Amino acid sequence: MRKKLTNMQNIVCNICILLGILLILYYAFLTICYQYVAFASVLGLGGGILVLFGGIQKYFQIFPFASLGRTWQIILLSILSTVILIFTITEGMIIYYGHTRSHEKTDVILVLGAGLNGKEISSTLKYRLDTAVEAH
């Protein structure tokens, strides 16, 4: 007979699945709104891995994290928490500062590239160029 997951292990599995779904939805949002965003596919892939990881653990009632020593559990949780915190802060800053407008007039606007699709500009670069024209 298989050993059942404890309540805490079940919660961790649910968190993995929830975070995975959120990453997949965020990837879908970025893809729908901007068609291509650098590194967005990493978010979708990471979300898929988390959903699979959490789902497999729940279905097969295994929890490999529990077999690690307490020190390794703390190290892995610290790394995961740090990555999630850095990601959240960075995305928040990108969203906040990406929508704040300066009312000062400037002589020069620097538009950073976002890639070309052959000889066509990408949708992200087009959006940036259109925004620069409106601002100036």
Side-chain angles (χ1 to χ4, degrees):
M1 184 169 167
R2 279 190 260 177
K3 189 176 173 183
K4 288 200 171 243
L5 294 178
T6 65
N7 283 340
M8 184 55 79
Q9 292 169 341
N10 211 9
I11 289 170
V12 170
C13 291
N14 290 337
I15 289 172
C16 284
I17 293 169
L18 180 65
L19 279 176
I21 290 170
L22 288 174
L23 284 174
I24 291 170
L25 289 174
Y26 189 60
Y27 164 74
F29 169 76
L30 290 175
T31 303
I32 290 168
C33 291
Y34 302 109
Q35 279 129 14
Y36 174 78
V37 175
F39 304 112
S41 56
V42 174
L43 297 173
L45 180 65
I49 289 171
L50 280 173
V51 168
L52 279 174
F53 182 71
I56 287 171
Q57 288 183 103
K58 283 183 78 87
Y59 182 76
F60 291 107
Q61 296 290 306
I62 56 172
F63 197 71
F65 189 70
S67 64
L68 296 174
R70 183 77 176 141
T71 305
W72 282 108
Q73 289 178 356
I74 292 171
I75 289 170
L76 287 175
L77 282 176
S78 298
I79 290 171
L80 180 63
S81 299
T82 303
V83 167
I84 291 172
L85 182 66
I86 289 171
F87 174 78
T88 304
I89 290 171
T90 303
E91 284 296 313
M93 290 174 66
I94 289 171
I95 291 168
Y96 176 75
Y97 290 113
H99 293 288
T100 18
R101 305 255 182 220
S102 173
H103 299 291
E104 299 176 22
K105 285 289 183 184
T106 58
D107 295 330
V108 177
I109 294 178
L110 175 65
V111 179
L112 300 176
L116 296 172
N117 300 324
K119 292 187 178 188
E120 300 288 321
I121 63 173
S122 67
S123 59
T124 306
L125 182 56
K126 181 183 180 322
Y127 173 77
R128 290 178 183 176
L129 291 170
D130 291 343
T131 304
V133 168
E134 287 175 20
H136 207 295

